[in-house]
Amino acid sequence: MFVKQSVTLLAMLFIVCSCQPLYYQVYNTKNNNNIKTKNDVLVFEDSNCEVVYDLWADGGNFSFKFFNKTNDNIYIHMDETFCVKNGMAYNFFNNRIYSNSRYSSVSNSVGISSSETRSNNNSYSASKSVTGYNAYDLLQTNKLIRTNNVGVSNTFGVSNTFTSTEANANSTSTIEERIIIIPKKSAKIIYGFFINKSVLNFNTLTKYPKKNNKSSIQFTKENTPLSFSNLISYSLSKDDELIKIDNEFYVSEITNYSSEELIQAINKDSNGRVIRPRRFFKESGPNKFYVKYDGYMHYK
């Protein structure tokens, strides 16, 4: 009875949790006017390079693509490159060592067994007749028979198993690059940091907006709750003077959406034909990012 009640409670808990509504906190950002929108990405450009951003991701993607416009190598000095969030600086370069290991093994087993059973059974029987008067004074003859069985059984067995194992282990280590070289007319992606992974709460911002609804709050550069920048240092040769780029952003608006308000499903193509449903964000953009959260234990 107890087991049945426990299973029922677990099933009910699973159903309740799986039905919790989803919400999205969407962050709109502005920059220091040296970054332009081009082909659905954010681009900083000087005479030597382009730095490309697309922030749209859960938690905000602050990685960037560095494109070398020149006909010579460009050198990014990672030990002089930083991500700064609300005044706190984080190193891109930490002198890390990355390891990649592979292990493989092959085992072969051979088993040999044999057995033999031997048995020997002998039976002996003896009888004797006894005559006399019984309790009713009648003459009676009884015959006594005794039988002995003697048996011997022996089993002999031999079992041997031979196992052969071959193992190979390979490990490759890569040291983090202090200077990243970008060849002429080419680009590399420099993987960076998440911008923010936590939901921000404000008294004037409804955390759980009703279905098909939203709630927003605006900020200026002076009162923004979140500012962030990439400070990138590069040179045109290893020993040249460093050229510094400051790509600065700040959050100008935060909007809480119900999933029904932010996400739209399409089940027809441009010709009106029914297709497999696809879901997309209605308010996405390269200058925006979001944090997804659920309404667990929230009751409307």
Side-chain angles (χ1 to χ4, degrees), residues 241-259:
E241 183 179 352
L242 294 180
I243 301 172
K244 295 183 179 290
I245 298 172
D246 184 2
N247 294 151
E248 184 180 356
F249 299 79
Y250 71 91
V251 171
S252 60
E253 183 180 35
I254 295 177
T255 303
N256 290 343
Y257 291 87
S258 64
S259 60

Side-chain angles (χ1 to χ4, degrees), residues 14 16 21 35 61 68 96 131-132 141 148 176 195 252 276:
F14 174 78
V16 170
I35 299 174
N61 176 22
N68 179 3
R96 291 163 288 200
T131 302
T141 300
N148 292 324
E176 185 178 11
I195 301 169
S252 60
R276 183 177 179 179

